[in-house]
Amino acid sequence: MLKKTFILGALLLGLTACQSTDVAQNETIPLEGSWHIEMVQGQPTIDYSPAQITFEAEGKLHGNNSCNNFFGQYTQQGQELKLSPAGSTMKACVDALMQQEHKVMQAMPLVAKAKLVQGRLTLLNSDGKPVLVLSQLK
């Protein structure tokens, strides 16, 4: 009886050791620094566009949404991410940049998760679809 209990315990221990967990899924992605916005809601940004986001310590963010500067806050827990733009400047630019700016400002509140893929920061909505794709500025 003791031998059967030992074997059963060893089997259960072995099975739990074989369970796969994705540790990377729970890791916090390092966001701090400046990131160039490469894509917005599935569309590439205009060449040489100044669109960028800077994540600072203590949950502050600021950047350029293609035409105007913006500021706000972000919260991050593991891969979960929430961007909360609070305000922006109000200058006028060419129509193409103004349209892109509008898309950037619409996209930021949709962000629910962050994923680092091949050096690019992909910000996803709650359905897991990319909303913004960023590359880190040096």
Side-chain angles (χ1 to χ4, degrees):
M1 180 70 176
L2 185 59
K3 189 175 182 180
K4 285 183 182 179
T5 304
F6 177 75
I7 291 172
L8 183 59
L11 278 171
L12 288 174
L13 183 62
L15 287 175
T16 58
C18 290
Q19 286 182 340
S20 64
T21 57
D22 190 358
V23 176
Q25 202 170 37
N26 295 325
E27 288 181 10
T28 299
I29 295 171
L31 296 176
E32 283 188 37
S34 295
W35 299 81
H36 174 68
I37 301 172
E38 291 186 357
M39 294 190 89
V40 182
Q41 298 183 25
Q43 299 292 315
T45 56
I46 298 167
D47 287 343
Y48 306 107
S49 165
Q52 69 177 37
I53 298 175
T54 299
F55 295 96
E56 294 184 3
E58 300 171 11
K60 295 186 187 292
L61 67 86
H62 62 88
N64 184 295
N65 54 23
S66 298
C67 179
N68 286 285
N69 295 323
F70 67 87
F71 61 93
Q73 297 179 329
Y74 71 95
T75 55
Q76 181 185 26
Q77 187 172 13
Q79 285 191 345
E80 291 180 23
L81 179 65
K82 182 177 180 179
L83 305 183
S84 303
S88 72
T89 57
M90 301 285 287
K91 67 180 181 182
C93 292
V94 296
D95 286 343
L97 288 176
M98 293 297 290
Q99 289 171 359
Q100 183 170 285
E101 168 185 279
H102 185 68
K103 284 184 181 181
V104 169
M105 295 308 285
Q106 280 184 325
M108 285 197 288
L110 300 176
V111 173
K113 279 188 167 183
K115 198 175 189 182
L116 199 55
V117 180
Q118 298 177 348
R120 286 192 168 78
L121 182 61
T122 303
L123 305 182
L124 310 163
N125 65 15
S126 58
D127 295 331
K129 294 181 181 172
V131 177
L132 293 164
V133 177
L134 315 171
S135 59
Q136 193 155 29
L137 295 170
K138 296 181 183 187

